[in-house]
Amino acid sequence: MSPERSKLATVTDAVIVGAGPVGLFQVFELGLLGLRAEVIDSLPQIGGQCTELYPEKPIYDIPAVPVCTARELIERLAEQIRPFAAGMHLGQEVTRVERREDGRFAVETSRGTRFDAGSVIIAGGVGAFQSRRLAVPGAERHEGNRLHYRVKDQDVFRGRDLVILGGGDSALDWTLALTQSARSVVLVHRRAEFRAAPASVSRFFELRDAGKLDFLEGQVRAIIEADGELSGVHVSTPDGLTRAVALDHLLVFWGLHPKLGPIAEWGLNLNRKTISVDTARFQTNIPGIFAVGDINDYPGKKKLILSGFHETALAAFAVREHLRPGEKVHLQYTTTSPLLQRRLGVAEERAAAQSHPAVRTG
Ligand SMILES: Cc1cc2nc3c(=O)[nH]c(=O)nc-3n(C[C@H](O)[C@H](O)[C@H](O)COP(=O)(O)OP(=O)(O)OC[C@H]3O[C@@H](n4cnc5c(N)ncnc54)[C@H](O)[C@@H]3O)c2cc1C
């Protein structure tokens, strides 16, 4: 790496690839051992599968939490790791991990964020979530201009003619929201049935019957361009016809699919789409690169949040040993260790509670 590039890199003990439940708890376990972490995720928010796939579903198998929704679990983890102030770098994929001659790692993301890390912990779950793309010739040329897979700024669509593709919650929610400010909205879906909240579906048909938006059952077969800009789509409909629909912007909400992506190119021993690790350190075949949570593989592996949490504790001790070989680390309890309580930022509270014990009555 050139000196200029290394100057820009954030120096850290560990880069955690993935901000799912396991990646988040890894921050906690490293923090207890006095190690700093930077967390990167391709999604714009933390929580991995919990937030992206089932935020409102109840989880019943987290120890000592009889029930909480997936969203609540992530909120509680975020609160629990707050004392360790890990850097969160969201909306960017880790594209490069390279072991340097000195044993440290050069890590880089799709947005050009750079890290100089003593270790890398891959908590990438089933891979980086990516939007399902419109697979018709030439479509990718218009991405970020007139073809969108996310809404970053609603104002872009004000007073415009929009075509929205999809039949799930995101497609319906955005159709309803953008109908208020767009000039026209046409929702295109391959069936006249939707996999979305019943209230959104009824509202959609109410607006359609009132002439506020349009619905076209069919599939996009090709894009239409005018002066190099995306200007419409050809949609084949169940009656066997192909209709041309003019547009200013095309929004595609076909959901997300996980892709192992660049992780597959870092020289790690893979078993199908998982990374082989040992069960004492959760280290991969590359010293200093560890893997925890759904992405790792070892005899008896179970893809459960509970198992991932256990793995983070052992991986943290192994990272500490990797960074400071030979230095003894004693197991300490958060209940009784002043050092851990200082790291957690609760030492003063505990001292105050002891010098002013609560008055007992009765
Ligand atoms: C519907 C459903 C219900 C479930 N219910 C339960 C349950 O009740 N109990 C239970 O224990 N488990 C349950 N699970 C499984 C549980 O959600 C997973 O075990 C857990 O999410 C794994 O956590 P993780 O942090 O390892 O990975 P994930 O949650 O998958 O997070 C990984 C993150 O890494 C990111 N990432 C990957 N590659 C990159 C990269 N190169 N750059 C940047 N970011 C990257 C991804 O975007 C993702 O956000 C359920 C799963 C589903 C789908």
Side-chain angles (χ1 to χ4, degrees):
M1 232 185 354
S2 74
E4 198 186 2
R5 291 184 100 191
S6 65
K7 223 165 67 185
L8 294 171
T10 302
V11 178
T12 184
D13 294 316
V15 156
I16 299 172
V17 183
V22 179
L24 294 178
F25 200 62
Q26 185 69 72
V27 171
F28 185 83
E29 289 296 331
L30 290 169
L32 284 185
L33 297 182
L35 301 175
R36 273 197 59 83
E38 301 286 323
V39 185
I40 307 165
D41 204 300
S42 54
L43 291 172
Q45 78 280 325
I46 62 168
Q49 294 174 53
C50 293
T51 313
E52 195 59 42
L53 301 182
Y54 60 106
E56 303 310 330
K57 284 197 167 44
I59 303 183
Y60 300 98
D61 58 348
I62 304 298
V65 181
V67 60
C68 71
T69 65
R71 190 195 305 283
E72 281 162 358
L73 175 72
I74 297 306
E75 284 167 3
R76 289 179 195 193
L77 282 169
E79 189 188 333
Q80 194 169 21
I81 67 174
R82 193 163 300 132
F84 302 115
M88 290 286 166
H89 310 270
L90 303 176
Q92 44 197 313
E93 195 179 5
V94 178
T95 46
R96 190 170 76 99
V97 170
E98 223 172 83
R99 192 163 192 267
R100 300 190 323 213
E101 270 178 21
D102 62 0
R104 291 182 65 83
F105 294 89
V107 179
E108 198 169 321
T109 76
S110 49
R111 280 209 208 150
T113 316
R114 294 190 183 90
F115 302 89
D116 168 349
S119 63
V120 175
I121 305 177
I122 304 174
V126 280
F129 285 107
Q130 301 189 345
S131 307
R132 283 180 210 281
R133 296 293 202 264
L134 173 64
V136 297
E140 69 285 350
R141 278 203 300 275
H142 302 283
E143 262 184 48
N145 185 16
R146 288 183 167 213
L147 170 60
H148 313 266
Y149 294 96
R150 278 186 189 283
V151 174
K152 284 196 200 127
D153 175 10
Q154 283 198 52
D155 271 352
V156 171
F157 307 114
R158 186 173 295 280
R160 301 292 178 177
D161 296 318
L162 312 181
V163 171
I164 297 180
L165 311 185
D169 280 310
S170 296
L172 267 279
D173 289 351
W174 281 117
T175 299
L176 298 179
L178 295 173
T179 294
Q180 295 173 27
S181 58
R183 184 162 59 189
S184 72
V185 176
V186 182
L187 180 71
V188 178
H189 184 45
R190 61 183 196 288
R191 293 181 288 149
E193 285 157 30
F194 300 99
R195 285 200 311 173
S200 310
V201 178
S202 334
R203 181 79 188 129
F204 171 77
F205 282 113
E206 265 169 44
L207 291 174
R208 197 235 1 214
D209 295 345
K212 305 267 191 222
L213 54 81
D214 223 338
F215 172 60
L216 187 58
E217 186 179 346
Q219 296 196 51
V220 171
R221 297 295 180 198
I223 58 165
I224 305 168
E225 293 175 328
D227 299 329
E229 294 281 13
L230 178 65
S231 63
V233 280
H234 279 132
V235 180
S236 65
T237 50
D239 52 14
L241 296 175
T242 298
R243 291 161 207 269
V245 186
L247 56 83
D248 294 318
H249 291 279
L250 178 62
L251 297 98
V252 183
F253 298 111
W254 283 341
L256 300 164
H257 69 116
K259 225 175 116 195
L260 196 55
I263 294 175
E265 288 146 30
W266 298 340
L268 299 163
N269 280 349
L270 299 177
N271 177 12
R272 292 151 74 92
K273 286 183 175 173
T274 54
I275 303 170
S276 308
V277 291
D278 68 85
T279 51
R281 301 163 61 82
F282 295 94
Q283 189 164 239
T284 67
N285 57 306
I286 301 181
I289 303 189
F290 301 79
V292 291
D294 275 15
I295 197 141
N296 74 12
D297 178 57
Y298 53 84
K301 168 71 183 179
K302 297 282 176 280
K303 290 188 180 185
L304 288 171
I305 297 167
L306 166 76
S307 316
F309 286 170
H310 156 77
E311 294 160 14
T312 64
L314 269 60
F317 278 94
V319 167
R320 171 78 195 248
E321 163 68 20
H322 175 80
L323 295 175
R324 301 175 203 166
E327 202 179 290
K328 237 184 157 33
V329 185
H330 298 287
L331 181 73
Q332 299 186 55
Y333 295 131
T334 54
T335 337
T336 48
S337 159
L339 174 67
L340 298 192
Q341 288 170 6
R342 264 201 311 282
R343 286 178 179 157
L344 284 163
V346 295
E348 280 161 25
E349 279 169 37
R350 302 250 331 144
Q354 274 162 16
S355 58
H356 304 288
V359 179
R360 282 193 174 197
T361 55

